[in-house]
Every structure is written in C-alpha cells, then in structure tokens.
Amino acid sequence: MPRLKAGQRHEVAFTLNGVAVRGEAEPRMLLTDFLRHVIGVTGTHVGCEHGVCGACTIRLDGVATRGCLLFAVQVAGRDVKTVEGLGGSDGRLSPLQEAFRRNHALQCGFCTAGILMSLDDFLEKNPSPTEPEVREVLSGHLCRCTGYTGIVRAALETAKGNADA
Amino acid sequence: MNEVAAELAREEAYTGRPLKRVEDAALLTGRGRFIDDLPSSAGTLHAAILRSPHAHAELVSIDAAEALKMAGVAAVITRKDVTALTRPFTVGVRQPMQHWCLAVDRVRYVGEPVAVVLARDRYLAEDALDAISVEYRPLPPVIDPERAARADAPLLHPDVGANVVSDRSFAYGDPEAAFAEAPHVVGTTIRYPRNSVTPIECFGMIADWRPDDGTYEITTHFQGPFALHPVMALALKVPGTKVRIRTPPDSGGSYGVKQGVVPYAVLMAVAARVAGRPVKWIEDRLEHLSAASSATNRVTRIEAAVAEDGRVTALRYDQLEDCGAYLKAPEPATLYRMHGTLTGAYQIPNLTVRNRVVLTNKTPTGLNRGFGGPQVYYALERLMHRIADELGLDRLEVIRRNLVPKEAMPYRAAAGSLYDSGDYAATVDLAIGEGRLVGLLARREKARKEGRLYGIGFAAVVEPSVSNMGYITTVLTAEEREKAGPKDGAVASATVALDPLGGVSVAVASTPQGQGHRTVLSQVVADVFGLRPEDVSVTVELDTARDAWSIAAGNYSSRFAAAVAGTAHLAAMRLRDRLAPIAAQRLNVPAEEIVFSGGKVAARSNPENSLSFHRLAGASHWSPGTLGDGVDPALRETAFWSPPELAAPDRGDVINSSAAYGFIFDMCGVEVDRDTGKVSIDRYVTAHDAGRLLNPALADGQVRGAFANAVGAAFYEEFAYGEDGRCLNGTFADYLVPTACEVPEPEILHMACPSPFTPLGAKGIGEGNCMSTPVCLANAVADALGVSDIDLPLSPAQVMALIEPNEPPPPHAAAVEAREPGRALSGEGTATIAATPDEIWRAILDPASLARLLPGCERLEAIDENTYAADVTVRVGPVTGRYTARVRLSELQPPHSLRLDGDGGGTLGTGSGTAWIVLQPADGSTRIEYRWEAEAGGKVAAVGGRMLESAARLLIRQMLQRLEVGAAPAAKRPWWRKHLPLGKGR
Ligand code: FES
Ligand code: FES
C-alpha cells in the first residue's frame, strides 16, 4: 500500500455495485462519508459511527462489514456492494426487498439498508437458516421502529422462497 | 360517525385493510431522502459544537482566536453572538430562568453547547474545536432529584432562587374524607429512571438566513408540536412569518425525541446569519446520547384508600419530576400530559395530587414515546398489585373490580379526562381468554414446582391520544391562566387538491417519522372518491410558509389516526361535495343522485349514466365558465378540525387532556435466572382497543415498535450519570438498546370500540405499550421473586440484588449515583525498584525528572512550590487526548511518603486523580506501596468508560517504569521488566 499523507487527498478507485468508480479522500475520511458525500450514494446510513448500530453495513468483497469502521482509502481496488446494488437493474426489488415490503419489516427505513446488506450476505451463505440463527445475525443491528418481527419474517420467507424456487 | 361507518363498510373500501406501504419502495432501495441526503448549496458550512465537560460551572472565558486561524474555518459562534441575536427561550412556568441556545453565564449539564465552529467540512470543524480554549470555574453539581429539592442543594438558577421551579397541589372529589374512612391505605414509592427511545438517525438540519427579507429558513426533521414554532420565532426575535421551517421527505425515527431539535434550530439559524452562508449540522451519537433529550426521571409516592373488597376510593400522588438543567418547552408537559388521566382505567372518584418540578445538572428533558404515561402507570399498576397482595386478594380481581364499566362511557375521570369509549372488562376477557391465563398459571405452577423463578404480571392502561393544547397550562394557577389567555383544542389540518388531469393530491401537517402516513391517507381519501389508493398521491413534507398548519400540527400524542387522517377525510368529503353538483349538471340528475365509485362518477339510479372521475375532477381547471350559476369550482379544499371536547382547564383545574382514550390490557409470564439475574419473557399478551384501525398491519407495527422500546426501558436502558454529573453512556455499547435476540414477539389482540369523538372512529395506538409493558414486566418479575419494591431497569445486576439482597449493590447505573461521593476508579499495588528511597525521592521532587516521570508529559512548569502546570497527552484505548493539568505534591515526609494530585481538562474532557505513595527501603532497593483514585468526565468518560480502568493502570505502570529508569543509578538498570508486580485493581 502506498504511503498516504494526512491532510492530502488521495484517489480511491474501486468497484461499486459492479461499476468502476473513483473519488478523492483524505486518509482519515470514513468510508461512510466518502460513499455518501463524495461518491453521492446516500442509501448507506450512519447511526452511531462506532460500530454498534449496523446502519452503515455494506458488503466488502462479499463480506458484510461496517462502513463506519473503515477508511475510504481502505477500499481502493476492492469490491463494494451497497443497498443501491440489491435490486435488479430494471428497478425491480430483489426477493429480500420484496419480502421486507410484504412483511412490514421497516417503518422509518433508516436502519433498513444495513440490515438488508447483512441478510444479503447471510442468506447467500446460509440458504435455510432457523429463526434463532436469523435473530443472531440481526443482533448486530439496532432498529427502534419495528420490534424486529417483520424483519425476522422477511428473512425466513426469503430463505424459504429461495429454497422453493 | 354513522355516515362514515356506512361508507367504510362498502365493499371496495380500502380503509381498514392491511395494504402494503407506498413509502417502502424508496426506502428499500436507498432512495430515501433523509436530512443528510439532501443536496446543499455550494459554500454551505459545516458545524461542530463544542460542549461542556462539566455538569455545573461558571463560564469564565472563551477564546477562539486559535481556532479561527485554522484552515477552512469560517467562523466561531459564541455567547456574544447569541446574546446579540436571540433571547432566552420561553419557559412554561413563571420563573426568571434563562435558557439560551448556547451557554451564556454558566454551563448546567455535561454536553451543553458552548461554541460552534463553522468550517468547510465537518472534519475541519471538529479539528478546530480542540483549539478553542474555555475557562470554567466548576460549581458543585446536583444530580439526584430528591437532593436537588432540598434547601441546601447547589442552586442551578440563582435568579429563580430554588431548584423546585413549580409546586402545585390539586384535589378532586373529597380525597381527605375517603382516606379517613378507608379501612386500608396502601402505598408505594417509585423511582422511575431516565431513558429515551433514541432514534437511529440523529438530529440534523440545514439553516440559512435571507438578509433581504430577514427570514430564517431551516430544513430539519422537526416533528412538532408546532406550538414550538412561536418559541423559535420569539427566541430569534423575529415574527413567526420570518421563521420558515421545512421538513425533509423522510425522517429516521423520532418517537417524540426530534422535538429536541428546537434549540439547535435556533442556534444554527444564528450561525448561518453570522457566517452569511448556509450552515449544515448533523449530530453524532455521542452528542445525541449525552445531550439531545431524554424522558423525565420521576420520584413518585402513591397511596390508595382501599375498601375491604379491594375497591379503590381515592388516590394520592406526590410526584417529583426531574426535568434536567432547564425547563425546555413544552416541559413540564411530561408531568401534565397524564393529569386528567391519573386515575388510569379505574373508577376512582377522589384524587389528590402534588406535582413538583425540580431541576438538576442533567440533560433537559422532552418528548419521548409514551410521554408521561410510563412514569404514571409504573406507579399506579405496581400499586394495584400491591393492594391485592396486602389485602390477600387476587391481583386480576382487584384490577377488574375497579375498571370503569362500559355503561359509564363516556366517562369523566376524577381530574377531567373524558374517556370517549371502551369496554375494558371485555378487553380483559379477550386477553385472558382462549386459555391464555389458564396456560400461564399452569406454566408458573410447573416452573415453581421445579424450583424455577417464574412470575405473572398484569397491567391495565388507558392510552390518551390527540393532546389538548391547553393541558400544559394546568401547571399554572387559575389566575395565571386568566392572565395568559385560554389555551385549548388540537387543530389538525389537511388539504386535498385536484390537478388538471384529474389527479388527487393530499397534504397534511403530520410530519411522520416512519409510521406510513402516506399509505393510510391514500387509503382514506381513495375511499371518498371511489378511487384506488395508487390514484392518490400524498405529500407529508411540511413548509410552514406554504402549508396549512396550526400549533397542534406534528407527529406526537398519537394524533395521526384519530385527528389527522380524519381531517383528510373531511377535506376530501368537502371536495366531493363540490364535485357532486358539477357532475349532477353534466349527468342531468340531482346532486344527491351522484355516487363516486370505481374511478367513475355516476347516477345512482342509472349507473350507465356516468363520466370518468378524472374528467370531472379536471373540469374546474379547464372550463370554469361552464359550471353554471351557483356552482363553485372544485379545485382544492383545506379542512381544519379540532375536537370540541378539548376545553381549557377550568377554575378547579379539571382538564380533559386528550380527545380519545384507547385501552390496553397486558399480561405476561417471565422467568428469572437465579444465578445470573437475567429475565426471559416467556409469554406476552397485549390486547388493544384503539377504535377503528385504518390499516391493521401498520397498527400492529406500532404496537411491536412500542413493545420493543418498552422491553428496552424495562431491562436495559437508563441514562446513567456519575455523581459529578458526567455522562456514563455515550455509545450504543454503553446505552443498551434491545436487539432481535432480546425482543420476543408479543401476541397482539384487538377490540374495536370506535370513538364517537373522532372523524373516523380511530384512537391512538402507537404509545400504549411504552406505558403498559414496563410495569407489566416489572409486576411479573416482582411476582417471580416475591418482592414488593422494584425499580427499573431490571438489569441482571439489579435483579441479582433483589434475589440476594445482602450482596453488594451493582456497580453501574443508578447505583453509581446513589453512592456517596467518591471516585469511580481506584486501585492499589506495590512495586520494587532498584534504587534507594532517597534516589527516588529526589527524582520525584526535581521538576526536570518529574516531567520525565509523568507519562505523556510535554511541558512542566512550576507555578508554586510543589505545584506545576503541565501539558500531557494521554491515551485511552484508541483515542489520544491532550490535557492541560495541574500537578501538586503534598503531605511530604521525605524520603518516606507523599501525595500526588493532578487534575486537568482537554479535548477528551476532564480528569482528576490522587496517588498516595509510600517508599520502604528493602535491601538496597525500594518497595513502593501505592494507592490511587481517579475519575474522568466529558467525552472520555462517556465513550471510554469500559477502558478507563485499564488506561489508568497502564499509566501507573509506565510511571513506575520511568521512576526506576529515572531514579536508579545506571548500573542497576533495568531488570524491572520481569520484576514489576502490577497493582491489583479494585
Ligand atoms: S454507523 Fe456504523 S455501526 Fe452504527
Ligand atoms: S425502521 Fe426505523 S429504525 Fe428500523
């Protein structure tokens, strides 16, 4: 990795939702601020900036990761997926997003992007999870609106749908 | 109601169906438009706020010169700007209390704003905070409300002359006689903790000043009540028309909390004016947890006069409400919101109340889901269980015997609430029915037989909705109210408009924060016009300069379903009534013949005779000339509605505080782990009567959300303060919010007694479980443990203290505050150093070597004999902070013992510590015995509480290492590495 200078902007080139993008960031700039305010994709939210609430979760090289605990320069050359990359290119919702809608798994929607990204990763690796497993994964996220019921149901329903398909 | 009911019963009615939400498509794809997502104009400055590390101190001086020199910094706002451009906020009681948007003479809570840096970006703004030097003169703080109420307590507002800023007594019926005659008096004392439903999105806003017309424009997710709009205008010293508030399309939750943006809106408005540029401020989580807002903590003594059969004939409340450092409008509303409803779900004719409001050095309080309900019902519903226990009666039976009977509806409660509707007994039957209670009793019996701790709890709660704008004036005497002029009602507004192509749009002043108002309004209005919900577009962004609103506007007191949706219905009906004559003319039938259905407008007797809704709806745009005489165009209708039942408090302080009153009966079974104190919820049943449900799926969502919030309040959440007022939970790792693993799925049941007082028969539902669930769970835990005194939060440590009363109290949370003043961190230890006591003594007493001994010391300068000023850099976990410190050596017994004191402040907050050191000669070496105490405040205490102890021990270890290196003759060094026994912590 090249030596970076504090106070200086560096170019960060990476793949965002399958598309090559680049932007400039100081070494101390958080990935969340970079995505939201430099690149201009605001679907990834910030709820605590200390790694607890999970609102900022993205997938980095396929792994669900806290965006607020990464610096922008750390994603150089890597693959980032955010909530904007979940649906089909035709604007259709993914099965998980559809299940969220059907099950009223969101209210204010502020926590939602992070939860979708965690579940996107989790369901890919665990196609038929149990409810306790789903709850365990969700315990990395805080939602103040829904009481989690709809979210748990949406995840289980998606897994079932995938299995039936 | 009848016409409406008939209409809602129509086959194609969308109202009442659990439709999917129109809001979700954008939110699920990352296209929400929250405040921090909105574009801001070029040149917008970013604000960072410097906050007080002290709970109570005089503000001696602020010097921002260095900060202003820093790159990218445009301005620093301090007290001189706010005293020039604003005045203190209006206060809800007649007291000379000065609450400015920025500290002026004193700071009164940790986190109080002291200065604002405006810079090119947020990172630079935060950098510059460190360069502002503020001199404070600390004053003794007072944290505990009961202590604050005593005459000898430190005074927060000397002009007021006391910390108790309001003290009113009330009597309804003949409580004295009832207590005198009662065979039993049962009482309990409750200390309800501070907590908040912390939304996941923190506060945010963009403020601008238009010098040309003298207007402040502020875009923020303010949730109302818009009664605070005049409060902002008065503080900014401009007419209300010069404060334009706009809300973003989406808001990331509020639960009342975002009412708290008000002081910041004023502050950032001033900042924008001073800087001459737009200003954006986004709060961070530490700021939110330490200083945004909170529900009140309250000490309640409640007593009941009880007949032999368990019937309560009178209640006596003595409530001491802690509103924090300032009475921030609309406080003390938390205390008065439930005033008319203090007798709860019970037919209790006599009531006496003493209400005191006290100020302490804590964050000022404000709206929070449940708003006053959790505090009242915790006391009342604990009391009902205790009455049963003390009289040897069945708990559920005592509740039932006292419930307001259905025949009494509408029922005027002792203090004035007019309960509109309900069948409480039937709702209880619904909850316990189908074997639910029998099943619970069996589970308890089985668990107890097996030696497990299992308990059952109940709670019956009346849930008020649509607050009377006048209830808060109950805090004033009748004479004071007369002078101020009457306040009453709860005006809701809605506008329905038709566009040239016949599209229908709806705008309301309801500022939702995730409840799905757009969905529900599209259902309600579609039904009026015989359209589909997708034919109706709804905007909920509010612009005070253009939209219809009133002081009651906003998203609070569960007013949406009961008031706002009904008002939209009224506006749509009016528009329909204007369309009908136009249609009648075109179809050549009388207007009464016209029906709206299936996207068409037709003659009732001959449905073939019809025209499309869109064509009719566009007519007033395209051809107003053809409407004919006496027929008005139909373009747009705005309806205002206020429940006529909401009168101002009368001379006897009788107040109907809300328009509609729902009912909830909760029942649960919990199991307590004897070894860990962990409580698991085995079963939870919650039965609601919220009248007519407009969208049952969304209503259940509200119940689940409030239930989850209540689980947090019951078991985890408390804003804990050190005895010096420092914030102990500045992160979500310290302020614990329940996750999917802690929140079970409650069984939700519905009973529908429509309200005769609201346009659609709906009553509120969104806050009830915040009122009923904490006490229901506590009642169950009390039952499991067989204890009678029980306070929240029921953390494992607190529960263990109830299981094993002789164990020492838990070290955290409330217990920290309750302890006698002492320091949070302490330890002791010994070390052997290869130098003589004389050598060590010299090393400590010589300033040059002392500077080398102190870890991170960059400068040490003698300011007095044995007193030094020092600059030190200290590391706690991942963060490093610079402190300016005073170091003092005293109690010198050369070369035997001494005491070292240090205290200082800096970017991470404040810190102080004392070490007592004894040197014993040991065989050419020296054995050092030491004891230390330390404490920290400000940022480091709030976010790093868990790391402080290890950081302190690391510092000591480094000091001892340096001591040896510094004191020992060169030849003897350095074998300490393997020979330094570390001090044992406490
Ligand atoms: S913002 Fe990253 S975990 Fe909360
Ligand atoms: S939907 Fe609002 S926080 Fe989860």
Side-chain angles (χ1 to χ4, degrees):
Chain A
M1 194 182 217
R3 231 187 126 68
L4 303 174
K5 281 225 186 78
Q8 232 170 54
R9 295 208 187 152
H10 299 267
E11 187 171 74
V12 182
F14 64 108
T15 308
L16 176 65
N17 299 323
V19 180
V21 293
R22 52 186 67 225
E24 289 193 343
E26 281 180 35
R28 66 172 173 171
M29 178 173 264
L30 299 180
L31 177 60
T32 39
D33 287 337
F34 181 65
L35 287 174
R36 294 176 45 77
H37 302 308
V38 179
I39 303 295
V41 286
T42 53
T44 302
H45 295 154
V46 168
C48 70
E49 289 183 301
H50 51 247
V52 182
C53 76
C56 64
T57 305
I58 52 141
R59 292 186 71 179
L60 180 62
D61 294 336
V63 181
T65 310
R66 302 285 202 229
C68 73
L69 298 183
L70 284 169
F71 293 116
V73 292
Q74 287 176 280
V75 305
R78 301 175 72 180
D79 183 58
V80 173
K81 185 175 176 189
T82 64
V83 67
E84 286 89 350
L86 280 183
S89 50
D90 53 356
R92 267 220 310 255
L93 299 181
S94 73
L96 180 64
Q97 289 168 314
E98 267 302 340
F100 263 59
R101 190 164 185 204
R102 256 193 328 273
N103 287 284
H104 294 280
L106 65 156
Q107 287 181 23
C108 77
F110 199 77
C111 66
T112 311
I115 295 180
L116 287 170
M117 297 318 292
S118 273
L119 289 175
D120 189 47
D121 179 12
F122 174 73
L123 293 176
E124 198 174 290
K125 293 166 186 159
N126 304 273
S128 45
T130 62
E131 180 175 331
E133 282 166 358
V134 168
R135 286 190 179 263
E136 185 72 35
V137 171
L138 290 175
S139 73
H141 293 269
L142 301 180
C143 173
R144 282 304 223 172
C145 293
T146 63
Y148 304 104
T149 302
I151 303 173
V152 173
R153 284 187 193 159
L156 292 170
E157 219 175 272
T158 306
K160 188 158 181 312
N162 289 346
D164 294 349
Chain B
M1 175 55 223
N2 290 341
E3 185 216 344
V4 173
E7 191 188 327
L8 290 175
R10 280 187 335 201
E11 285 271 304
E12 76 244 45
Y14 290 99
T15 307
R17 301 227 309 246
L19 296 194
K20 287 195 252 177
R21 305 198 319 163
V22 295
E23 287 85 353
D24 291 356
L27 296 173
L28 284 165
T29 50
R31 286 196 293 267
R33 287 168 294 163
F34 296 91
I35 182 71
D36 193 30
D37 303 341
L38 300 185
S40 44
S41 44
T44 297
L45 295 169
H46 295 262
I49 300 176
L50 182 72
R51 293 172 181 275
S52 167
H54 298 281
H56 200 189
E58 275 170 40
L59 201 47
V60 181
S61 65
I62 306 174
D63 181 355
E66 287 305 310
L68 280 165
K69 287 186 209 146
M70 291 173 67
V73 174
V76 177
I77 311 301
T78 61
R79 56 187 175 184
K80 67 174 194 320
D81 302 302
V82 310
T83 48
L85 295 173
T86 71
R87 61 166 84 90
F89 292 108
T90 322
V91 177
V93 297
R94 304 259 165 264
Q95 293 287 6
M97 181 191 314
Q98 302 226 321
H99 179 204
W100 300 81
C101 60
L102 208 56
V104 167
D105 57 337
R106 281 187 184 194
V107 289
R108 294 183 174 87
Y109 62 97
V110 169
E112 181 166 0
V114 171
V116 182
V117 174
L118 305 177
R120 200 174 58 228
D121 68 38
R122 175 63 176 258
Y123 289 74
L124 296 172
E126 286 189 26
D127 287 347
L129 292 183
D130 295 350
I132 301 176
S133 58
V134 183
E135 195 189 328
Y136 298 96
R137 191 173 302 127
L139 296 164
V142 58
I143 306 305
D144 179 72
E146 288 160 285
R147 221 187 121 227
R150 294 210 300 255
D152 62 346
L155 210 51
L156 273 83
H157 298 270
D159 289 347
V160 177
N163 293 330
V164 174
V165 296
S166 169
D167 185 346
R168 286 216 67 197
S169 295
F170 306 86
Y172 304 93
D174 192 352
E176 292 318 315
F179 272 98
E181 284 161 19
H184 303 278
V185 173
V186 180
T188 183
T189 300
I190 301 295
R191 289 184 175 77
Y192 201 85
R194 277 193 160 219
N195 52 33
S196 165
V197 190
T198 62
I200 302 301
E201 179 194 43
C202 292
F203 292 176
M205 60 192 59
I206 301 168
D208 201 2
W209 158 251
R210 319 283 311 172
D212 315 297
D213 58 5
T215 303
Y216 290 105
E217 296 191 348
I218 307 156
T219 304
T220 182
H221 40 210
F222 177 52
Q223 60 125 68
F226 278 76
L228 298 178
H229 185 274
V231 170
M232 289 186 253
L234 288 169
L236 286 165
K237 301 201 278 195
V238 293
T241 48
K242 301 290 184 192
V243 179
R244 183 174 189 175
I245 304 285
R246 275 180 281 208
T247 64
D250 294 301
S251 172
S254 174
Y255 331 103
V257 179
K258 281 175 181 157
Q259 164 255 327
V261 300
V262 166
Y264 294 105
V266 171
L267 178 57
M268 294 305 154
V270 169
R273 179 165 175 175
V274 172
R277 310 240 297 263
V279 167
K280 176 172 178 175
W281 175 65
I282 302 293
E283 181 189 52
D284 72 23
R285 184 54 61 185
L286 168 61
E287 294 182 286
H288 188 86
L289 289 172
S290 59
S293 191
S294 153
T296 60
N297 52 303
R298 185 181 299 178
V299 182
T300 304
R301 173 73 197 164
I302 184 171
E303 285 168 2
V306 191
E308 290 299 351
D309 62 354
R311 251 176 247 274
V312 179
T313 56
L315 279 180
R316 179 186 289 144
Y317 279 89
D318 184 345
Q319 304 188 97
L320 179 64
E321 177 88 326
D322 179 353
C323 285
Y326 301 93
L327 209 53
K328 187 170 72 173
E331 293 288 32
T334 313
L335 184 57
Y336 283 89
R337 193 246 184 142
M338 300 300 295
H339 192 80
T341 319
L342 283 172
T343 42
Y346 308 116
Q347 197 172 28
I348 303 174
N350 306 300
L351 171 70
T352 143
V353 187
R354 181 181 185 198
N355 276 344
R356 283 174 298 159
V357 178
V358 68
L359 301 187
T360 59
N361 294 106
K362 305 205 287 276
T363 303
T365 57
L367 269 63
N368 230 292
R369 199 172 195 169
F371 202 45
Q375 293 90 331
V376 163
Y377 286 118
Y378 196 88
L380 181 57
E381 295 304 289
R382 277 298 300 137
L383 182 69
M384 295 307 282
H385 271 44
R386 292 190 60 159
I387 289 171
D389 294 353
E390 290 186 25
L391 272 62
L393 301 169
D394 179 71
R395 292 178 191 146
L396 185 57
E397 198 43 47
V398 168
I399 289 176
R400 279 171 184 280
R401 269 182 208 164
N402 285 288
L403 288 175
V404 176
K406 157 169 135 229
E407 301 71 45
M409 295 290 173
Y411 170 80
R412 178 75 68 179
S417 284
L418 182 62
Y419 296 176
D420 51 291
S421 57
D423 186 341
Y424 299 173
T427 311
V428 171
D429 288 341
L430 174 71
I432 66 174
E434 292 175 338
R436 276 181 283 266
L437 177 59
V438 176
L440 263 192
L441 292 169
R443 293 177 77 81
R444 179 171 70 183
E445 196 183 316
K446 177 165 182 288
R448 288 187 174 172
K449 267 204 191 113
E450 290 165 9
R452 291 181 285 134
L453 297 172
Y454 193 104
I456 295 175
F458 306 101
V461 153
V462 168
E463 175 179 5
S465 50
V466 191
S467 283
N468 183 345
M469 288 291 102
Y471 79 75
I472 174 64
T473 61
T474 320
V475 69
L476 304 175
T477 62
E479 292 68 43
E480 287 170 331
R481 285 199 295 266
E482 219 143 84
K483 253 195 228 150
K487 310 251 184 327
D488 59 43
V491 179
S493 56
T495 301
V496 181
L498 301 172
D499 85 347
L501 298 178
V504 179
S505 62
V506 182
V508 292
S510 75
T511 59
Q513 326 258 346
Q515 297 91 334
H517 292 183
R518 289 170 58 207
T519 305
V520 176
L521 291 169
S522 70
Q523 294 175 260
V524 168
V525 172
D527 279 344
V528 172
F529 295 116
L531 298 171
R532 297 164 308 163
E534 52 269 42
D535 300 329
V536 177
S537 58
V538 183
T539 11
V540 288
E541 296 112 280
L542 184 67
D543 179 342
T544 56
R546 312 181 52 120
D547 293 315
W549 59 280
S550 87
I551 57 157
N555 178 26
Y556 63 97
S557 78
S558 305
R559 61 197 304 286
F560 174 72
V564 179
T567 307
H569 173 84
L570 295 177
M573 291 295 284
R574 275 194 213 161
L575 197 54
R576 196 177 81 173
D577 288 348
R578 283 182 181 278
L579 284 170
I582 304 174
Q585 207 178 48
R586 313 221 155 176
L587 299 179
N588 238 330
V589 292
E592 305 76 60
E593 266 286 286
I594 297 295
V595 287
F596 291 74
S597 176
K600 289 201 175 326
V601 185
R604 194 185 308 273
S605 49
N606 176 16
E608 297 296 295
N609 182 14
S610 71
L611 76 166
S612 86
F613 176 82
H614 297 286
R615 186 157 264 273
L616 171 69
S620 298
H621 282 281
W622 298 108
S623 54
T626 65
L627 296 183
D629 287 346
V631 179
D632 291 325
L635 290 164
R636 164 193 286 258
E637 282 295 328
T638 297
F640 290 91
W641 176 79
S642 182
E645 292 79 17
L646 297 185
D650 73 6
R651 286 201 64 81
D653 296 313
V654 170
I655 173 71
N656 180 19
S657 10
S658 303
Y661 297 85
F663 176 72
I664 305 172
F665 182 75
D666 280 5
M667 171 176 82
C668 71
V670 305
E671 181 163 351
V672 181
D673 184 319
R674 219 183 261 288
D675 300 320
T676 63
K678 186 177 172 346
V679 182
S680 328
I681 304 172
D682 179 38
R683 290 271 194 281
Y684 201 99
V685 179
T686 181
H688 287 251
D689 173 6
R692 184 180 301 283
L693 300 182
L694 305 180
N695 181 323
L698 302 194
D700 282 355
Q702 288 300 306
V703 171
R704 292 196 185 100
F707 174 74
N709 301 155
V711 168
F715 296 126
Y716 311 102
E717 297 179 31
E718 177 178 21
F719 285 125
Y721 287 85
E723 66 274 8
D724 58 356
R726 69 191 180 278
C727 155
L728 294 176
N729 22 29
T731 73
F732 272 144
D734 306 279
Y735 187 86
L736 297 179
V737 168
T739 74
C741 289
E742 287 86 38
V743 183
E745 166 68 357
E747 185 173 352
I748 304 170
L749 303 165
H750 294 288
M751 173 91 190
C753 303
S755 171
F757 296 163
T758 67
L760 297 174
K763 307 184 253 196
I765 194 167
E767 298 183 86
N769 284 88
C770 285
M771 307 179 186
S772 59
T773 300
V775 64
C776 185
L777 289 168
N779 279 340
V781 173
D783 179 45
L785 302 182
V787 298
S788 50
D789 290 316
I790 190 161
D791 279 326
L792 302 183
L794 292 166
S795 64
Q798 301 269 30
V799 174
M800 279 316 284
L802 293 170
I803 297 176
E804 310 259 6
N806 297 328
E807 291 284 301
H812 211 57
V816 173
E817 192 184 299
R819 241 175 26 202
E820 277 309 302
R823 281 162 162 171
L825 302 165
S826 60
E828 56 188 17
T830 58
T832 306
I833 286 190
T836 65
D838 277 318
E839 286 166 338
I840 292 176
W841 191 262
R842 275 200 302 277
I844 296 176
L845 272 279
D846 170 46
S849 76
L850 179 64
R852 286 195 297 273
L853 285 182
L854 298 173
C857 178
E858 285 148 23
R859 180 186 69 94
L860 186 88
E861 194 178 290
I863 49 175
D864 211 336
E865 205 191 339
N866 291 329
T867 304
Y868 306 93
D871 289 334
V872 268
T873 301
V874 178
R875 210 180 152 80
V876 178
V879 289
T880 307
R882 252 178 90 111
Y883 285 87
T884 306
R886 260 162 59 101
V887 179
R888 215 163 77 83
L889 305 176
S890 61
E891 298 171 19
L892 303 173
Q893 307 278 339
H896 178 62
S897 66
L898 80 162
R899 166 186 171 140
L900 190 152
D901 286 282
D903 64 88
T907 51
L908 291 182
T910 57
S912 70
T914 304
W916 291 267
I917 299 165
V918 177
L919 308 176
Q920 308 271 17
D923 209 356
S925 308
T926 303
R927 186 180 145 80
I928 302 186
E929 291 170 10
Y930 60 89
R931 193 158 61 75
W932 59 275
E933 288 176 1
E935 67 188 356
K939 211 183 269 182
V940 73
V943 306
R946 287 153 290 119
M947 297 176 280
L948 278 179
E949 184 148 339
S950 55
R953 274 196 268 143
L954 184 70
L955 284 182
I956 291 166
R957 177 188 178 145
Q958 288 172 345
M959 225 160 108
L960 291 168
Q961 291 170 351
R962 288 159 184 241
L963 189 57
E964 177 159 75
V965 177
K972 291 198 208 163
R973 293 175 199 159
W975 49 279
W976 49 263
R977 265 177 221 283
K978 46 183 187 299
H979 207 74
L980 188 68
L982 280 178
K984 49 179 164 59
R986 111 189 120 112

